[in-house]
Amino acid sequence: MKNAHINTIIDTITTPAWIIEERRLRDNLEIMDSIKEQSGAKILLALKGYAVFSTFDTVSRYLDGCCASGLHEAILAHEEFGKEVHTYSPAFKEEDIEAIAKISHHLVFNSIAQFQKFAPKAKAINPSISLGLRINPEFSSSPAEQYNPCGLYSRLGVTVSNFDETILELCEGLHFHALCEQDSSALAEVLEHFEAKFGQYIPQMKWINFGGGHHITRKDYDIEGLIDLINNFKAKYAIDEVYLEPGEAVGWEIGVLVATVVDIVHNGMELAILDICAEAHMPDTILMPYRATIRGSGKAGEKAYTYRVTGNSCLAGDVMGDYSFDTPLQVGDKLIFEDQAHYTIVKATTFNGVQLPSINILEEDGTLRCVKKFGYEAFRDRLS
Ligand SMILES: *Cc1c(COP(=O)(O)O)cnc(C)c1O
């Protein structure tokens, strides 16, 4: 389809479907580009949150590479993105380390034991690789315990009491990741704790990685605050290279998930059943949990007609939430879930045999490109 308006596309598209708007993706990347320019920081895409590689031509024009969480993401970064590959895993396995070391520019270990076990080997395989350690600053104001890497008994990163200076010989960088959908003021607090605990080691490092969770592209994010923090940090420690690795902020508000109302039933209230599944296609609505926005809807009772909006799996709790609408829903109506490009496509499953949404890209000239359709085979091929 050429030169079509997004509303026409939504009216005619076969559901379920994700639609990513390239223009919005580029708006996010422009913001990151200006942060890079004003701070000298390098910015990586965290594949964990967004990995629609059909858009990587665009992303790689702005960002410096990808951060990968293991072998498969590292290969995707290497093959589809083609710039810096930074690989960190909570626990690398012996059989993966050679392939990972060959294609990674930075390799970050999660524990002293893993560093000691794999650092010399990685260096032998790839002499230009830069080795680092993830540390735990033991401070995070993350909004949910599920997303707090510094919480009680966290396995993520080395605490200062577990730090072992013998790794310093091969260690060129420190990495922390302690934010979740947060502003630069939260980064300032984490940095204070990081510096208080690990400050003595910073000047001997080549790079420091500030992790992800920076909600850079949210409208009220304090971008100037971030730029100041990075510039002050670099000046204070004479460190040239500071990395950020946002995932969500790259895919923030760039895409929608379009679903169709398949049936409406009544049991104490009106229940709309869609051709998508909360558990399989938007799992954070259950896991986090959060309420996705449906275009044109209000909270329960706010508008004239309230429905519990539900999924088509047999899971009783397959519920997106209660929403109200100006007019009654009809079978065949399309519902547009906003902001569904990050932490959805990467997490989707074929649970219960439900149809996976197709992946579509609306290019800047109005061309709609369907880059992936899923059928029965997608369900079968994960099973045996
Ligand atoms: C999840 C994760 C990121 C990306 O986090 P966002 O919240 O998507 O920005 C970056 N680095 C690490 C180590 C992560 O685990």
Side-chain angles (χ1 to χ4, degrees):
M1 197 184 293
K2 283 217 180 297
N3 296 318
H5 188 268
I6 180 79
N7 291 341
T8 317
I9 286 168
I10 287 165
D11 284 346
T12 52
I13 201 162
T14 303
T15 65
W18 277 296
I19 306 174
I20 290 168
E21 290 185 66
E22 196 125 35
R23 171 71 240 174
R24 288 168 175 253
L25 171 62
R26 215 154 62 78
D27 288 346
N28 286 349
L29 295 167
E30 298 272 1
I31 292 171
M32 293 183 184
D33 201 40
S34 97
I35 292 169
K36 283 174 54 174
E37 202 174 303
Q38 293 176 70
S39 68
K42 287 187 169 182
I43 304 186
L44 310 169
L45 164 65
L47 294 176
K48 174 166 121 262
Y50 179 80
V52 179
F53 55 84
S54 298
T55 62
F56 283 4
D57 276 354
T58 303
V59 183
S60 65
R61 264 186 270 138
Y62 295 89
L63 303 189
D64 299 283
C66 295
C67 94
S69 314
L71 180 59
H72 291 173
E73 285 188 355
I75 296 172
L76 192 78
H78 175 70
E79 291 187 347
E80 303 292 340
F81 202 97
K83 291 171 95 175
E84 292 182 33
V85 179
H86 292 226
T87 312
Y88 154 82
S89 168
F92 289 110
K93 290 180 81 175
E94 183 87 48
E95 60 260 44
D96 293 342
I97 206 74
E98 183 175 344
I100 288 172
K102 273 187 185 153
I103 56 173
S104 298
H105 299 77
H106 284 201
L107 189 56
V108 179
F109 298 102
N110 186 60
S111 73
I112 298 292
Q114 284 247 310
F115 194 103
Q116 286 168 338
K117 187 170 179 188
F118 293 128
K121 188 171 175 182
K123 208 70 189 165
I125 291 163
N126 178 0
S128 65
I129 204 166
S130 188
L131 303 173
L133 184 74
R134 176 168 177 173
I135 60 85
N136 178 351
E138 293 174 84
F139 176 87
S140 169
S141 50
S142 168
E145 207 46 32
Q146 171 85 354
Y147 298 97
N148 180 1
C150 306
L152 190 63
Y153 310 130
S154 172
R155 73 192 185 291
L156 303 169
V158 176
T159 58
V160 70
S161 65
N162 284 331
F163 194 77
D164 178 338
E165 294 187 356
T166 62
I167 66 146
L168 289 171
E169 197 187 328
L170 285 176
C171 184
E172 296 183 339
L174 296 176
H175 173 289
F176 63 79
H177 170 68
L179 302 178
C180 174
E181 301 186 328
Q182 284 173 292
D183 211 317
S184 49
S185 55
L187 173 63
E189 291 178 321
V190 171
L191 272 175
E192 258 176 51
H193 288 77
F194 169 59
E195 293 183 52
K197 293 193 160 80
F198 296 94
Q200 55 176 314
Y201 306 120
I202 299 173
Q204 49 192 303
M205 295 296 149
K206 255 168 104 169
W207 51 266
I208 302 292
N209 188 322
F210 289 3
H214 316 274
H215 231 189
I216 295 167
T217 49
R218 200 187 58 216
K219 281 177 191 64
D220 57 350
Y221 183 89
D222 180 9
I223 292 174
E224 292 308 316
L226 174 65
I227 292 168
D228 288 346
L229 279 174
I230 297 169
N231 283 327
N232 292 340
F233 184 89
K234 286 170 64 182
K236 182 170 173 187
Y237 295 101
I239 283 264
D240 275 346
E241 293 185 59
V242 165
Y243 284 90
L244 307 176
E245 45 185 36
E248 177 157 335
V250 176
W252 180 248
E253 293 186 335
I254 67 167
V256 296
L257 175 56
V258 187
T260 299
V261 177
V262 180
D263 197 11
I264 295 169
V265 297
H266 187 92
N267 181 16
M269 70 182 296
E270 297 294 321
L271 298 135
I273 306 176
L274 310 184
D275 61 351
I276 56 171
C277 167
E279 163 82 19
H281 305 143
M282 36 205 311
D284 284 349
T285 57
I286 293 172
L287 185 67
M288 197 154 179
Y290 86 105
R291 176 188 161 90
T293 300
I294 298 177
R295 195 172 293 178
S297 75
K299 292 186 192 128
E302 200 172 79
K303 295 179 178 244
Y305 302 94
T306 293
Y307 294 82
R308 178 154 296 172
V309 174
T310 67
N312 59 348
S313 76
C314 297
L315 173 74
D318 188 2
V319 171
M320 289 83 176
D322 294 350
Y323 297 83
S324 64
F325 301 87
D326 289 325
T327 54
L329 289 182
Q330 308 283 344
V331 168
D333 281 355
K334 286 199 168 129
L335 296 184
I336 304 159
F337 288 86
E338 306 280 10
D339 193 23
Q340 294 298 311
H342 55 85
Y343 289 104
T344 48
I345 306 174
V346 287
K347 284 189 166 194
T349 71
T350 56
F351 168 62
N352 217 180
V354 293
Q355 170 74 40
L356 277 169
S358 60
I359 303 174
N360 304 271
I361 295 164
L362 180 60
E363 291 176 354
E364 293 193 41
D365 67 358
T367 306
L368 184 74
R369 204 156 50 100
C370 177
V371 293
K372 195 91 173 192
K373 270 200 174 93
F374 302 91
Y376 160 66
E377 293 75 17
F379 169 58
R380 180 197 62 198
D381 290 349
R382 295 185 60 256
L383 302 168
S384 189

Tab-separated table of all heavy atoms in Angstrom, residues 44-50 67-69 88 90 134 147 149 156 175-182 209-215 244-250 342-343, ligand 1:
chain	number	residue	atom	x	y	z
A	44	LEU	N	23.630	2.800	22.642
A	44	LEU	CA	23.381	1.477	22.056
A	44	LEU	C	21.905	1.146	22.176
A	44	LEU	O	21.234	1.603	23.098
A	44	LEU	CB	24.170	0.403	22.831
A	44	LEU	CG	25.655	0.658	23.071
A	44	LEU	CD1	26.200	-0.363	24.070
A	44	LEU	CD2	26.434	0.581	21.761
A	45	LEU	N	21.423	0.331	21.259
A	45	LEU	CA	20.060	-0.187	21.356
A	45	LEU	C	20.090	-1.479	22.170
A	45	LEU	O	20.830	-2.406	21.830
A	45	LEU	CB	19.518	-0.489	19.951
A	45	LEU	CG	18.270	-1.380	19.881
A	45	LEU	CD1	17.068	-0.692	20.518
A	45	LEU	CD2	17.961	-1.765	18.436
A	46	ALA	N	19.289	-1.537	23.225
A	46	ALA	CA	19.165	-2.785	23.992
A	46	ALA	C	18.154	-3.690	23.281
A	46	ALA	O	16.962	-3.392	23.245
A	46	ALA	CB	18.714	-2.497	25.420
A	47	LEU	N	18.646	-4.772	22.725
A	47	LEU	CA	17.788	-5.657	21.918
A	47	LEU	C	16.703	-6.328	22.745
A	47	LEU	O	15.682	-6.745	22.217
A	47	LEU	CB	18.643	-6.718	21.222
A	47	LEU	CG	19.610	-6.183	20.165
A	47	LEU	CD1	20.465	-7.323	19.614
A	47	LEU	CD2	18.856	-5.499	19.029
A	48	LYS	N	16.942	-6.432	24.041
A	48	LYS	CA	15.937	-7.042	24.915
A	48	LYS	C	14.586	-6.342	24.779
A	48	LYS	O	13.546	-6.996	24.830
A	48	LYS	CB	16.445	-6.968	26.364
A	48	LYS	CG	15.469	-7.426	27.421
A	48	LYS	CD	16.188	-7.621	28.744
A	48	LYS	CE	15.674	-6.781	29.878
A	48	LYS	NZ	16.445	-5.564	30.134
A	49	GLY	N	14.585	-5.038	24.576
A	49	GLY	CA	13.332	-4.284	24.528
A	49	GLY	C	12.771	-4.095	23.130
A	49	GLY	O	11.552	-4.004	22.960
A	50	TYR	N	13.652	-4.026	22.144
A	50	TYR	CA	13.192	-3.731	20.778
A	50	TYR	C	14.178	-4.347	19.791
A	50	TYR	O	15.368	-4.041	19.843
A	50	TYR	CB	13.113	-2.216	20.569
A	50	TYR	CG	12.676	-1.839	19.169
A	50	TYR	CD1	11.333	-1.883	18.808
A	50	TYR	CD2	13.611	-1.479	18.202
A	50	TYR	CE1	10.933	-1.566	17.512
A	50	TYR	CE2	13.218	-1.151	16.913
A	50	TYR	CZ	11.886	-1.198	16.578
A	50	TYR	OH	11.485	-0.883	15.295
A	67	CYS	N	23.293	-3.539	22.508
A	67	CYS	CA	23.688	-4.342	23.651
A	67	CYS	C	22.866	-5.621	23.631
A	67	CYS	O	21.647	-5.607	23.438
A	67	CYS	CB	23.648	-3.555	24.955
A	67	CYS	SG	22.176	-3.655	25.892
A	68	ALA	N	23.587	-6.730	23.746
A	68	ALA	CA	23.020	-8.064	23.622
A	68	ALA	C	23.139	-8.775	24.963
A	68	ALA	O	24.048	-8.503	25.739
A	68	ALA	CB	23.779	-8.835	22.551
A	69	SER	N	22.211	-9.694	25.203
A	69	SER	CA	22.192	-10.376	26.502
A	69	SER	C	22.635	-11.834	26.408
A	69	SER	O	22.323	-12.630	27.282
A	69	SER	CB	20.791	-10.325	27.097
A	69	SER	OG	20.257	-9.038	26.997
A	88	TYR	N	26.494	-8.698	27.396
A	88	TYR	CA	26.471	-8.949	28.837
A	88	TYR	C	25.475	-10.063	29.077
A	88	TYR	O	24.393	-10.070	28.460
A	88	TYR	CB	26.022	-7.696	29.612
A	88	TYR	CG	25.389	-8.039	30.941
A	88	TYR	CD1	26.204	-8.312	32.055
A	88	TYR	CD2	24.012	-8.166	31.081
A	88	TYR	CE1	25.629	-8.680	33.266
A	88	TYR	CE2	23.435	-8.542	32.287
A	88	TYR	CZ	24.249	-8.795	33.372
A	88	TYR	OH	23.687	-9.176	34.559
A	90	PRO	N	23.848	-12.478	32.497
A	90	PRO	CA	23.923	-12.831	33.922
A	90	PRO	C	24.804	-14.060	34.156
A	90	PRO	O	25.373	-14.217	35.228
A	90	PRO	CB	22.461	-13.121	34.285
A	90	PRO	CG	21.672	-12.311	33.312
A	90	PRO	CD	22.464	-12.356	32.027
A	134	ARG	N	29.934	-5.922	35.353
A	134	ARG	CA	28.716	-5.260	35.836
A	134	ARG	C	28.782	-5.199	37.348
A	134	ARG	O	28.994	-6.214	38.020
A	134	ARG	CB	27.462	-6.020	35.409
A	134	ARG	CG	26.199	-5.387	36.003
A	134	ARG	CD	24.939	-5.919	35.382
A	134	ARG	NE	23.753	-5.349	36.009
A	134	ARG	CZ	22.513	-5.533	35.572
A	134	ARG	NH1	22.292	-6.282	34.496
A	134	ARG	NH2	21.484	-4.995	36.190
A	147	TYR	N	11.420	-5.121	38.569
A	147	TYR	CA	12.339	-4.416	37.673
A	147	TYR	C	13.438	-3.692	38.443
A	147	TYR	O	13.976	-2.713	37.965
A	147	TYR	CB	11.552	-3.438	36.795
A	147	TYR	CG	10.553	-4.161	35.933
A	147	TYR	CD1	9.228	-4.280	36.314
A	147	TYR	CD2	10.966	-4.783	34.757
A	147	TYR	CE1	8.325	-4.990	35.544
A	147	TYR	CE2	10.066	-5.498	33.981
A	147	TYR	CZ	8.750	-5.595	34.377
A	147	TYR	OH	7.875	-6.306	33.605
A	149	PRO	N	17.044	-4.087	39.720
A	149	PRO	CA	18.242	-4.927	39.686
A	149	PRO	C	19.101	-4.776	40.950
A	149	PRO	O	20.095	-5.476	41.097
A	149	PRO	CB	19.017	-4.414	38.474
A	149	PRO	CG	18.140	-3.404	37.816
A	149	PRO	CD	17.146	-2.946	38.815
A	156	LEU	N	22.159	-9.611	40.015
A	156	LEU	CA	22.661	-8.828	38.903
A	156	LEU	C	23.756	-7.852	39.328
A	156	LEU	O	23.497	-6.852	39.981
A	156	LEU	CB	21.493	-8.092	38.240
A	156	LEU	CG	20.368	-9.032	37.750
A	156	LEU	CD1	19.134	-8.245	37.347
A	156	LEU	CD2	20.857	-9.910	36.601
A	175	HIS	N	30.084	-1.414	34.361
A	175	HIS	CA	28.730	-1.317	33.817
A	175	HIS	C	27.752	-1.381	34.974
A	175	HIS	O	27.931	-2.192	35.885
A	175	HIS	CB	28.519	-2.514	32.874
A	175	HIS	CG	27.122	-2.677	32.348
A	175	HIS	ND1	26.069	-3.078	33.137
A	175	HIS	CD2	26.620	-2.531	31.104
A	175	HIS	CE1	24.975	-3.139	32.387
A	175	HIS	NE2	25.281	-2.825	31.157
A	176	PHE	N	26.765	-0.497	34.959
A	176	PHE	CA	25.656	-0.686	35.902
A	176	PHE	C	24.354	-0.505	35.146
A	176	PHE	O	24.292	0.171	34.114
A	176	PHE	CB	25.738	0.262	37.114
A	176	PHE	CG	25.632	1.724	36.789
A	176	PHE	CD1	24.402	2.322	36.538
A	176	PHE	CD2	26.759	2.526	36.750
A	176	PHE	CE1	24.292	3.675	36.241
A	176	PHE	CE2	26.670	3.890	36.443
A	176	PHE	CZ	25.434	4.458	36.193
A	177	HIS	N	23.319	-1.128	35.627
A	177	HIS	CA	21.977	-0.962	35.055
A	177	HIS	C	21.034	-0.978	36.242
A	177	HIS	O	20.866	-1.998	36.888
A	177	HIS	CB	21.670	-2.099	34.087
A	177	HIS	CG	20.232	-2.127	33.635
A	177	HIS	ND1	19.689	-1.152	32.829
A	177	HIS	CD2	19.231	-2.993	33.891
A	177	HIS	CE1	18.408	-1.437	32.613
A	177	HIS	NE2	18.104	-2.537	33.240
A	178	ALA	N	20.476	0.172	36.567
A	178	ALA	CA	19.695	0.276	37.802
A	178	ALA	C	18.428	1.109	37.639
A	178	ALA	O	17.774	1.425	38.615
A	178	ALA	CB	20.570	0.870	38.911
A	179	LEU	N	18.085	1.435	36.394
A	179	LEU	CA	16.914	2.287	36.179
A	179	LEU	C	15.825	1.525	35.431
A	179	LEU	O	16.099	0.552	34.735
A	179	LEU	CB	17.295	3.525	35.351
A	179	LEU	CG	18.382	4.434	35.910
A	179	LEU	CD1	18.658	5.563	34.932
A	179	LEU	CD2	17.981	5.004	37.264
A	180	CYS	N	14.612	1.996	35.582
A	180	CYS	CA	13.486	1.426	34.848
A	180	CYS	C	12.496	2.549	34.559
A	180	CYS	O	11.881	3.074	35.480
A	180	CYS	CB	12.818	0.331	35.681
A	180	CYS	SG	11.318	-0.309	34.940
A	181	GLU	N	12.389	2.936	33.302
A	181	GLU	CA	11.463	3.996	32.893
A	181	GLU	C	11.649	5.253	33.733
A	181	GLU	O	10.676	5.848	34.189
A	181	GLU	CB	10.013	3.519	33.010
A	181	GLU	CG	9.676	2.299	32.183
A	181	GLU	CD	8.187	1.950	32.207
A	181	GLU	OE1	7.534	2.195	33.230
A	181	GLU	OE2	7.699	1.437	31.193
A	182	GLN	N	12.914	5.678	33.937
A	182	GLN	CA	13.131	6.782	34.874
A	182	GLN	C	13.808	8.006	34.264
A	182	GLN	O	14.375	7.951	33.175
A	182	GLN	CB	13.925	6.263	36.077
A	182	GLN	CG	13.020	5.446	36.998
A	182	GLN	CD	13.783	4.763	38.104
A	182	GLN	OE1	14.547	3.853	37.843
A	182	GLN	NE2	13.580	5.244	39.312
A	209	ASN	N	29.621	2.214	31.496
A	209	ASN	CA	28.322	2.005	30.849
A	209	ASN	C	27.211	2.248	31.871
A	209	ASN	O	27.145	1.573	32.896
A	209	ASN	CB	28.260	0.584	30.282
A	209	ASN	CG	27.038	0.349	29.428
A	209	ASN	OD1	25.945	0.838	29.745
A	209	ASN	ND2	27.201	-0.410	28.359
A	210	PHE	N	26.358	3.246	31.576
A	210	PHE	CA	25.287	3.647	32.502
A	210	PHE	C	24.010	2.817	32.306
A	210	PHE	O	22.952	3.167	32.825
A	210	PHE	CB	24.914	5.126	32.312
A	210	PHE	CG	25.947	6.134	32.782
A	210	PHE	CD1	27.177	5.740	33.287
A	210	PHE	CD2	25.670	7.500	32.726
A	210	PHE	CE1	28.117	6.684	33.720
A	210	PHE	CE2	26.592	8.455	33.160
A	210	PHE	CZ	27.817	8.042	33.649
A	211	GLY	N	24.086	1.747	31.517
A	211	GLY	CA	22.959	0.829	31.377
A	211	GLY	C	21.755	1.429	30.666
A	211	GLY	O	21.867	2.405	29.908
A	212	GLY	N	20.591	0.840	30.901
A	212	GLY	CA	19.355	1.296	30.258
A	212	GLY	C	18.385	1.858	31.279
A	212	GLY	O	18.774	2.225	32.390
A	213	GLY	N	17.102	1.930	30.859
A	213	GLY	CA	16.070	2.439	31.755
A	213	GLY	C	15.927	3.947	31.731
A	213	GLY	O	15.115	4.510	32.469
A	214	HIS	N	16.736	4.616	30.884
A	214	HIS	CA	16.627	6.078	30.737
A	214	HIS	C	15.432	6.349	29.828
A	214	HIS	O	15.460	5.961	28.662
A	214	HIS	CB	17.890	6.662	30.091
A	214	HIS	CG	19.161	6.096	30.652
A	214	HIS	ND1	19.750	6.617	31.778
A	214	HIS	CD2	19.931	5.049	30.276
A	214	HIS	CE1	20.844	5.915	32.057
A	214	HIS	NE2	20.977	4.958	31.167
A	215	HIS	N	14.444	7.051	30.349
A	215	HIS	CA	13.220	7.259	29.571
A	215	HIS	C	13.348	8.503	28.686
A	215	HIS	O	12.463	9.372	28.652
A	215	HIS	CB	12.018	7.367	30.506
A	215	HIS	CG	10.908	6.456	30.108
A	215	HIS	ND1	9.659	6.496	30.686
A	215	HIS	CD2	10.850	5.465	29.186
A	215	HIS	CE1	8.898	5.565	30.139
A	215	HIS	NE2	9.593	4.929	29.235
A	244	LEU	N	25.271	4.655	27.032
A	244	LEU	CA	23.903	4.428	27.494
A	244	LEU	C	23.342	3.316	26.632
A	244	LEU	O	23.681	3.219	25.449
A	244	LEU	CB	23.031	5.675	27.306
A	244	LEU	CG	23.515	6.994	27.879
A	244	LEU	CD1	22.529	8.108	27.475
A	244	LEU	CD2	23.617	6.936	29.396
A	245	GLU	N	22.490	2.487	27.201
A	245	GLU	CA	21.917	1.406	26.384
A	245	GLU	C	20.408	1.275	26.601
A	245	GLU	O	19.932	0.303	27.168
A	245	GLU	CB	22.652	0.081	26.633
A	245	GLU	CG	22.906	-0.234	28.093
A	245	GLU	CD	23.735	-1.501	28.309
A	245	GLU	OE1	24.648	-1.767	27.516
A	245	GLU	OE2	23.442	-2.220	29.274
A	246	PRO	N	19.662	2.258	26.121
A	246	PRO	CA	18.207	2.205	26.264
A	246	PRO	C	17.582	1.195	25.303
A	246	PRO	O	18.081	0.990	24.195
A	246	PRO	CB	17.766	3.618	25.872
A	246	PRO	CG	18.810	4.080	24.902
A	246	PRO	CD	20.099	3.468	25.381
A	247	GLY	N	16.513	0.573	25.719
A	247	GLY	CA	15.717	-0.283	24.844
A	247	GLY	C	14.366	0.367	24.632
A	247	GLY	O	14.012	0.819	23.546
A	248	GLU	N	13.637	0.479	25.747
A	248	GLU	CA	12.289	1.049	25.700
A	248	GLU	C	12.257	2.433	25.053
A	248	GLU	O	11.361	2.736	24.263
A	248	GLU	CB	11.746	1.114	27.137
A	248	GLU	CG	10.382	1.755	27.218
A	248	GLU	CD	9.611	1.340	28.456
A	248	GLU	OE1	9.881	0.256	29.007
A	248	GLU	OE2	8.735	2.107	28.868
A	249	ALA	N	13.239	3.274	25.383
A	249	ALA	CA	13.211	4.653	24.875
A	249	ALA	C	13.345	4.708	23.357
A	249	ALA	O	12.875	5.655	22.720
A	249	ALA	CB	14.310	5.487	25.539
A	250	VAL	N	13.960	3.702	22.757
A	250	VAL	CA	14.066	3.666	21.293
A	250	VAL	C	12.698	3.354	20.685
A	250	VAL	O	12.263	3.978	19.717
A	250	VAL	CB	15.115	2.620	20.846
A	250	VAL	CG1	15.145	2.519	19.320
A	250	VAL	CG2	16.498	2.956	21.398
A	342	HIS	N	7.610	-1.822	22.031
A	342	HIS	CA	8.710	-2.294	22.884
A	342	HIS	C	8.194	-3.300	23.910
A	342	HIS	O	7.071	-3.191	24.382
A	342	HIS	CB	9.402	-1.118	23.589
A	342	HIS	CG	8.457	-0.260	24.384
A	342	HIS	ND1	8.094	-0.560	25.673
A	342	HIS	CD2	7.779	0.871	24.046
A	342	HIS	CE1	7.245	0.345	26.098
A	342	HIS	NE2	7.021	1.224	25.140
A	343	TYR	N	9.036	-4.267	24.220
A	343	TYR	CA	8.712	-5.319	25.196
A	343	TYR	C	7.407	-6.064	24.876
A	343	TYR	O	6.718	-6.549	25.768
A	343	TYR	CB	8.685	-4.764	26.631
A	343	TYR	CG	10.078	-4.429	27.112
A	343	TYR	CD1	10.523	-3.113	27.178
A	343	TYR	CD2	10.961	-5.438	27.462
A	343	TYR	CE1	11.820	-2.816	27.588
A	343	TYR	CE2	12.258	-5.143	27.862
A	343	TYR	CZ	12.683	-3.836	27.929
A	343	TYR	OH	13.958	-3.555	28.320
B	1	LIG	C1	16.847	-4.334	30.045
B	1	LIG	C2	18.218	-3.797	29.966
B	1	LIG	C3	18.486	-2.627	29.246
B	1	LIG	C4	17.406	-1.817	28.570
B	1	LIG	O1	16.500	-1.321	29.499
B	1	LIG	P1	15.301	-0.343	29.044
B	1	LIG	O2	14.491	-0.194	30.273
B	1	LIG	O3	14.561	-1.039	27.960
B	1	LIG	O4	15.910	0.914	28.579
B	1	LIG	C5	19.792	-2.198	29.172
B	1	LIG	N1	20.788	-2.871	29.785
B	1	LIG	C6	20.566	-3.997	30.482
B	1	LIG	C7	21.696	-4.696	31.129
B	1	LIG	C8	19.282	-4.498	30.609
B	1	LIG	O5	19.051	-5.600	31.325
